[in-house]
Amino acid sequence: RRSHRRRLGRENSINDDDEDIGRMGAEALIGLGNFGTFGFIPKGGSVYWSNLREKGFKSQIARIRRTAKVYHSPFDDGSREDMIRLAKWLKAIEKPAALMAAYDVRALQILEACRNEGFSVPGQICILGVDNDTLICENTQPDTSLTLFGRTFRYPFFAGPVGAVTMHYGEKYNDSSYN
């Protein structure tokens, strides 16, 4: 769903529907298959928009009678302590796993932790980032190789919800014109 508009005095403000973003992220991951774990990695601390994304994600996962695993850390996102704790969490969850990060920077940190621990992305762990941060998205290259029957193949996999571009950019772009 497109962002809603609020009137604040003489100023207009456009805000994301963060709970719906969480639901849509869960829908996208559910659509990719039956994973051992559906997980959400929020922004550290109690941040309103991240909490709403988590709530939407968990509610959508509950609709398929599953419980979303949520990673929590008392440390700053991406700090050495957080990355050690995140690696332990990633090792403990059932694979294959489908994870939604509250924002793109967090998705990049999850990708780094997966690389450091030797997890195959998207083979063992599928990661969905949110916000389409252009600088991050265009300069991150996850290893999308796939090993079948002892042979390794390298393919440029991309999986995302149909209509996500419209959700993010409104009527300015659609899936075909953006790609």
Side-chain angles (χ1 to χ4, degrees):
R1 293 186 187 150
R2 192 64 200 141
S3 302
H4 58 279
R5 191 178 276 248
R6 263 192 289 181
R7 184 113 172 115
L8 302 172
R10 293 182 169 201
E11 311 256 338
N12 282 327
S13 173
I14 297 176
N15 300 294
D16 292 328
D17 184 342
D18 291 302
E19 194 170 338
D20 207 36
I21 289 170
R23 278 191 292 272
M24 291 180 76
E27 283 177 26
L29 293 173
I30 291 166
L32 295 176
N34 188 20
F35 292 88
T37 300
F38 288 96
F40 185 83
I41 295 85
K43 174 157 180 53
S46 185
V47 181
Y48 181 71
W49 57 265
S50 180
N51 294 342
L52 288 174
R53 290 177 183 188
E54 177 183 330
K55 180 181 177 186
F57 183 87
K58 287 169 36 177
S59 72
Q60 196 65 28
I61 297 301
R63 293 185 77 197
I64 62 165
R65 295 188 169 96
R66 298 283 300 275
T67 301
K69 303 266 187 210
V70 180
Y71 168 78
H72 291 287
S73 174
F75 306 109
D76 291 337
D77 292 358
S79 68
R80 182 176 182 281
E81 296 86 355
D82 175 61
M83 295 301 283
I84 290 168
R85 186 180 181 108
L86 178 59
K88 287 179 184 176
W89 187 81
L90 291 170
K91 287 179 193 175
I93 61 175
E94 185 181 344
K95 313 312 179 284
L99 307 178
M100 178 177 171
Y103 63 114
D104 287 332
V105 171
R106 199 63 170 143
L108 190 58
Q109 293 164 353
I110 299 164
L111 180 60
E112 180 183 337
C114 287
R115 282 184 182 155
N116 291 344
E117 296 303 318
F119 292 119
S120 168
V121 176
Q124 292 174 290
I125 299 179
C126 178
I127 304 167
L128 174 65
V130 178
D131 292 332
N132 287 345
D133 184 308
T134 305
L135 185 62
I136 292 171
C137 294
E138 290 181 1
N139 293 294
T140 302
Q141 297 179 355
D143 177 10
T144 58
S145 61
L146 176 65
T147 302
L148 294 172
F149 308 110
R151 293 189 58 201
T152 301
F153 302 90
R154 300 200 186 284
Y155 290 103
F157 289 104
F158 171 78
V162 175
V165 171
T166 305
M167 178 188 79
H168 191 75
Y169 292 103
E171 300 305 316
K172 185 174 179 182
Y173 298 107
N174 62 35
D175 292 315
S176 299
S177 65
Y178 184 79
N179 293 314

